[in-house]
Amino acid sequence: MVQLIVFDLAGTTVFDADAVNHTLKQALAAAGVRASRDQINALMGQPTATAIADLLAAFRGQAAASADAVDAVLTDFVQRMVWHYESHPHVAECDGASDLFAWCHRHGILTALGSGLPRTVANAAIARMGWREQGLIDATITSDEVPRGRPHPDMVERLMTLTGVTDPMLVAKVGDTPMDIREGQAAGCRFVIGVTSGTHPAEALRAHAPTHLIAELLEIPDLLAEAEAGAA
């Protein structure tokens, strides 16, 4: 029923104690923009540069933020996040991530990571987890490597190309933000699974009509088994 599962990174498979939100808040504050956690969280999941541009424009009363202003905040954010993923003692995989990836491979399911974070930041997180070295991940993509980030389907479609999966009805998308859900829906994925242990509570994810909501990653094997049994 499923040949590929596309997982989000921060908050879904990598626990970083909400560092993306906190670090972006710091980088914006250094540029004179005092954004709240909720204001940043509302944009979570989309490309980081896009979120920065939207926040700068809104707080400065501009139609659009300048490219230089966005680049300055983005550079600051990237430096802070790379340090965090490389060095912070609280960074860890979300409960069950490695076990789930291994289960997928035992059952002939490919695993991929897609992230709204820039590639440099995503690489730091993935390296800290050691998933590549363990052979647990088949492909990765970041929003700065495709024409459009979330909520558009470009990252999922690129990962399908990289893994040789041609039918989105054989793909599951898993993430912890409304943007993840919208991305999976835009790509036509058979399963669009919201994880409630990340940045957004169940109510916020349910409002975007995912096919399923789970509290932890290791619910996915049973979810897929039940779906397969129901389709038999």
Side-chain angles (χ1 to χ4, degrees):
M1 180 170 288
V2 171
Q3 293 182 355
L4 170 67
I5 303 181
V6 175
F7 296 92
D8 173 49
L9 192 63
T12 299
T13 53
V14 174
F15 172 79
D16 58 16
D18 204 26
V20 175
N21 191 303
H22 181 66
T23 300
L24 184 52
K25 185 176 180 180
Q26 289 180 319
L28 287 163
V33 172
R34 303 289 177 178
S36 69
R37 181 186 184 280
D38 287 345
Q39 288 167 323
I40 293 173
N41 220 35
L43 302 175
M44 198 66 70
Q46 70 182 48
T48 306
T50 303
I52 291 170
D54 289 349
L55 289 164
L56 288 177
F59 277 85
R60 293 176 176 175
Q62 301 170 337
S66 72
D68 287 345
V70 173
D71 286 346
V73 176
L74 181 61
T75 297
D76 187 5
F77 170 79
V78 167
Q79 290 173 343
R80 294 172 188 264
M81 281 305 304
V82 168
W83 177 89
H84 184 88
Y85 279 140
E86 289 179 344
S87 307
H88 200 285
H90 291 164
V91 173
E93 68 171 49
C94 292
D95 289 347
S98 289
D99 289 341
L100 177 58
F101 298 154
W103 177 90
C104 288
H105 285 162
R106 288 197 302 272
H107 289 80
I109 300 172
L110 298 166
T111 58
L113 297 171
S115 179
L117 296 168
R119 170 54 75 179
T120 304
V121 179
N123 277 349
I126 295 167
R128 179 77 177 271
M129 298 302 103
W131 291 328
R132 284 195 181 105
E133 293 77 5
Q134 298 172 63
L136 294 176
I137 296 298
D138 298 295
T140 68
I141 199 74
T142 57
S143 60
D144 54 351
E145 296 174 327
V146 293
R148 303 172 301 175
R150 298 176 187 139
H152 301 286
D154 298 30
M155 286 200 293
V156 172
E157 292 172 349
R158 180 71 62 83
L159 289 168
M160 290 175 61
T161 299
L162 291 172
T163 56
V165 177
T166 59
D167 185 355
M169 290 300 289
L170 299 175
V171 179
K173 163 65 188 174
V174 182
D176 67 321
T177 70
M179 289 288 179
D180 285 297
I181 293 170
R182 293 173 60 192
E183 175 190 32
Q185 292 166 338
C189 296
R190 166 67 181 85
F191 295 96
V192 181
I193 303 168
V195 182
T196 62
S197 55
T199 59
H200 288 72
E203 316 85 72
L205 298 178
R206 189 177 292 113
H208 294 269
T211 61
H212 299 82
L213 283 178
I214 59 174
E216 56 184 30
L217 292 172
L218 285 177
E219 294 178 46
I220 289 177
D222 286 344
L223 182 159
L224 296 180
E226 290 172 7
E228 186 170 359

